Amino acid sequence: MVLVSYPFQLADRSRILWDPALRVGQTYVALAQRTGEQYGLPTGLTENDRLGGSDVDPAVFQKFTQGVYDGYCSTNNFVLHGLLRGLLLPSIVMLEKGGGSIARNHEWEDGLLENLDAYVRVMRTD
């Protein structure tokens, strides 16, 4: 079987949160894992051998996304903002599709969520 996508689904398998192309999904997981290590946060992503993607534990993933968001808001480093933005936007979309949300710090976001609607549109699964 040749895999062409990398689905992210809730751990209870009740909903697919995102179904990107294989390399996109693999790249996202690699970024999330390394960032989680850097911040001391488990990602909540577990490889799913059956589908070839990842199961998402919503409670752990929420803590991961919140922690990375808080890290983003804790600095004004332009380069770090750019690096984290690419991970945070799809994370926030998946989190919200799974029923979660982040506690926002509007003062320190520095335009992070300006493109969130575009991510929501291109990450549709239904």
Side-chain angles (χ1 to χ4, degrees):
M1 178 166 91
V2 176
L3 299 175
V4 295
S5 71
Y6 194 100
F8 292 86
Q9 67 177 356
L10 288 175
D12 67 5
R13 300 194 172 144
S14 64
R15 181 167 190 178
I16 292 181
L17 304 174
W18 184 30
D19 193 12
L22 181 61
R23 286 190 187 174
V24 174
Q26 290 171 331
T27 301
Y28 172 84
V29 168
L31 290 169
Q33 289 174 338
R34 186 60 188 112
T35 302
E37 291 169 8
Q38 184 75 27
Y39 283 82
L41 297 166
T43 63
L45 304 173
T46 304
E47 190 172 343
N48 178 324
D49 293 329
R50 186 177 58 83
L51 289 178
S54 285
D55 290 337
V56 180
D57 179 319
V60 177
F61 188 68
Q62 177 151 347
K63 289 178 185 173
F64 167 75
T65 304
Q66 184 71 56
V68 176
Y69 172 86
D70 291 343
Y72 179 98
C73 291
S74 72
T75 183
N76 62 0
N77 186 290
F78 180 78
V79 174
L80 185 57
H81 279 186
L83 292 169
L84 292 179
R85 183 176 282 116
L87 175 64
L88 273 170
L89 290 172
S91 297
I92 292 168
V93 171
M94 284 197 291
L95 180 64
E96 290 179 351
K97 284 184 177 186
S101 64
I102 56 169
R104 294 185 56 192
N105 180 344
H106 298 280
E107 182 180 348
W108 296 101
E109 279 183 4
D110 191 35
L112 169 66
L113 302 180
E114 288 175 1
N115 295 322
L116 187 62
D117 288 342
Y119 275 75
V120 169
R121 283 192 300 278
V122 299
M123 291 175 65
R124 287 187 54 211
T125 56
D126 42 351

